[in-house]
Amino acid sequence: MTTRTLLALTLLIFFCAIAFAQPGANEMPSVIQVPAEAQPSSHFDATAATNAYLAQIPPDKTARSDAYFEGSYWLILWDFLYGAVIALVLLNLRWSARMRDLAERITRFKPVHTFVYWTQYLVLTSILGFPLAVYEGYFREHKYGLATQTFGAWMVDQLKGLAIGIVLGGILVTLLFAIVRRFPRTWHLWGAVATTGFLIFGALIAPVYIVPIFNKVTPLNDPKVVDPILSLARANGIPAKNVYTMDASKQSTRMSANVSGFATTMRITLNDNLLRRGSPEEIQSVMGHEMGHYVLNHIYKGVMFYFIVIVAFFAGLRWALDWTLQRWGEKWQIRSLTDTAVLPLALLMVSIFGFVFTPIDNTFTRSQEYEADMYGLNTSRQPDGFAQAAIHLGEYRKMSPSPVEEWIFFDHPSGHNRIYAAMRWKAENMKLFTGQP
Ligand SMILES: [Zn+2]
């Protein structure tokens, strides 16, 4: 593709984007009333209260968020297939071998050679993957009223992401190729250890060094918001001194919060959409949930879980690469496992594994989220705030999926199940609300 065609295409996409943009069209009101059925009473019924909350969402909004979320099921498949086709093109047309030859002409010094190959690979696959990426990350988000960015700003974020991918991905890939060269028999074990170590390093630096590349993170000063959160933190033995906020509204209307980092980089962050649209009860219930992740050591349990998964994956990768290279290695002009031209094949294996692994991955995460929900209800004692949060999050998730759908596709409990859990908690703690034993 020439530069001029690329420019023309970009301009065309830009003008279409303006026509599509309708920021905030999907927003639910900030203050959601506690429905009559969910008010404290002697005849309180958790199911009736749940249904009354769900009935607050207008049917057209439900149809819209269902369509958005169900579309994402298909995107998992299209992303996988599209990526697989790109990998097969790179291998069969021997573009990967040519990128290796070019990197060799530049340098034969192995680490730099690997880095040069990786840069070419990532730039080329980003260009080939652009049509699907722009649909998924830009047009589709605008169509459902979830995005707030202009095309130019979105594109800048993509380029920043590409640059970070070149640097961080380049470090990991260079490290892994060095391991394959150094330990021809046991590389899969050391590769798994190095990958896990690298993921921990990434999680450690992300809140402090990566997030600020895209968004402005500032300490939150408003005592009305901060004091109850820090009080909740102290009560739960969490050493947080500051609560941070970030301008997520720059990109999207989504509300969210998180606990990120390890040890000294650990921090609580609320995004500005939650601050702007959430009631105090809602914010406290979300913070209780986030503190649950911290107190229940979800980060460390996650590291252990993914370490086991990565070890299993690398063992499979070793076997699969040997098998494929024996058959097609010559045709693809890949000399051996230490040849950088093997990379698209290895990453194709990663995506096949990731695709098959989706339901297990989601179920692991969803189980932790459910634990954090229970912890959050117990510590914040804000079941109605939590129900409101579930409705807000329902702007981009399906509220009432089937159990099988939830098992395969949901990385959080569904909105219906979250509201029901809150109302069940309220029913069992009715004395807190009625003042009667
Ligand atoms: Zn969570």
Side-chain angles (χ1 to χ4, degrees):
M1 194 183 287
T2 64
T3 324
R4 207 182 303 159
T5 357
L6 196 68
L7 189 72
L9 196 69
T10 313
L11 282 176
L12 178 74
I13 291 166
F14 182 69
F15 288 119
C16 296
I18 295 170
F20 272 98
Q22 357 164 247
N26 206 28
E27 286 192 9
M28 289 290 294
S30 297
V31 181
I32 299 166
Q33 299 299 316
V34 177
E37 293 85 343
Q39 299 284 353
S41 74
S42 55
H43 52 85
F44 184 90
D45 175 60
T47 306
T50 304
N51 291 335
Y53 263 114
L54 289 169
Q56 286 186 333
I57 309 171
D60 62 315
K61 301 268 187 202
T62 304
R64 196 180 168 92
S65 54
D66 283 4
Y68 174 76
F69 204 77
E70 285 163 13
S72 70
Y73 304 166
W74 288 102
L75 282 177
I76 298 173
L77 180 65
W78 301 135
D79 281 338
F80 167 66
L81 293 176
Y82 195 90
V85 168
I86 291 178
L88 291 173
V89 165
L90 259 54
L91 293 168
N92 280 301
L93 300 184
R94 292 184 277 279
W95 289 0
S96 184
R98 266 188 251 166
M99 287 192 288
R100 177 223 31 229
D101 294 344
L102 182 66
E104 266 175 1
R105 277 203 292 280
I106 295 168
T107 174
R108 284 192 176 259
F109 179 55
K110 288 290 181 190
V112 182
H113 164 86
T114 308
F115 213 91
V116 172
Y117 174 90
W118 168 253
T119 307
Q120 298 178 69
Y121 169 84
L122 200 61
V123 171
L124 180 63
T125 50
S126 300
I127 293 170
L128 294 175
F130 190 73
L132 189 56
V134 77
Y135 163 70
E136 204 170 316
Y138 187 78
F139 290 116
R140 185 168 176 269
E141 292 295 299
H142 272 292
K143 187 178 152 205
Y144 286 98
L146 294 166
T148 54
Q149 269 180 317
T150 61
F151 185 76
W154 180 82
M155 204 55 213
V156 169
D157 273 0
Q158 299 305 300
L159 292 172
K160 284 180 183 173
L162 179 64
I164 295 167
I166 289 174
V167 175
L168 289 183
I171 294 171
L172 179 62
V173 167
T174 305
L175 185 67
L176 289 177
F177 271 108
I179 288 172
V180 175
R181 284 195 303 273
R182 179 80 182 74
F183 305 103
R185 284 170 203 282
T186 52
W187 64 264
H188 53 290
L189 276 177
W190 303 115
V193 171
T195 304
T196 308
F198 191 81
L199 292 179
I200 296 173
F201 167 74
L204 195 66
I205 64 161
V208 186
Y209 297 103
I210 310 281
V211 174
I213 297 174
F214 297 93
N215 289 88
K216 210 160 119 194
V217 181
T218 42
L220 199 56
N221 294 316
D222 183 0
K224 276 208 302 290
V225 184
V226 174
D227 289 353
I229 294 173
L230 288 181
S231 164
L232 207 58
R234 282 191 301 276
N236 288 277
I238 297 171
K241 295 270 179 298
N242 282 308
V243 179
Y244 293 84
T245 183
M246 61 178 251
D247 58 349
S249 58
K250 202 176 130 189
Q251 287 101 354
S252 136
T253 63
R254 288 174 164 84
M255 295 173 62
S256 88
N258 65 68
V259 174
S260 56
F262 285 90
T264 51
T265 67
M266 200 286 292
R267 53 168 68 189
I268 299 171
T269 312
L270 282 83
N271 82 19
D272 59 346
N273 291 323
L274 174 60
L275 270 181
R276 185 168 50 84
R277 298 175 51 210
S279 62
E281 294 83 1
E282 179 172 353
I283 292 175
Q284 284 169 36
S285 76
V286 172
M287 284 293 109
H289 167 99
E290 298 305 330
M291 288 176 195
H293 283 308
Y294 177 84
V295 174
L296 300 170
N297 290 314
H298 283 167
I299 293 182
Y300 303 105
K301 289 174 188 165
V303 166
M304 282 191 272
F305 173 75
Y306 287 107
F307 177 61
I308 295 167
V309 171
I310 289 169
V311 168
F313 166 73
F314 265 89
L317 178 68
R318 186 194 168 141
W319 174 84
L321 284 179
D322 286 342
W323 191 86
T324 356
L325 285 186
Q326 250 171 27
R327 268 160 196 76
W328 298 290
E330 215 165 311
K331 179 176 174 226
W332 294 335
Q333 292 174 6
I334 301 170
R335 298 165 196 151
S336 71
L337 276 182
T338 59
D339 180 355
T340 43
V342 79
L343 196 83
L345 179 62
L347 291 179
L348 175 62
M349 311 276 183
V350 173
S351 76
I352 293 172
F353 181 78
F355 181 71
V356 175
F357 189 63
T358 305
I360 302 168
D361 193 15
N362 281 340
T363 296
F364 174 77
T365 310
R366 193 178 61 250
S367 309
Q368 288 200 328
E369 294 298 335
Y370 182 74
E371 288 176 15
D373 282 358
M374 294 302 110
Y375 189 94
L377 285 168
N378 282 324
T379 194
S380 72
R381 301 173 204 173
Q382 297 289 3
D384 294 295
F386 194 69
Q388 293 174 351
I391 289 180
H392 271 142
L393 297 174
E395 287 168 3
Y396 56 91
R397 290 187 188 134
K398 192 171 177 178
M399 289 299 281
S400 306
S402 73
V404 175
E405 224 176 332
E406 187 163 344
W407 191 80
I408 299 176
F409 297 110
F410 277 63
D411 59 1
H412 283 69
S414 67
H416 174 278
N417 286 347
R418 292 182 117 173
I419 297 174
Y420 179 74
M423 292 303 110
R424 181 178 62 193
W425 190 94
K426 191 173 182 179
E428 299 299 337
N429 289 278
M430 197 43 76
K431 61 180 184 296
L432 291 175
F433 304 93
T434 57
Q436 284 153 14

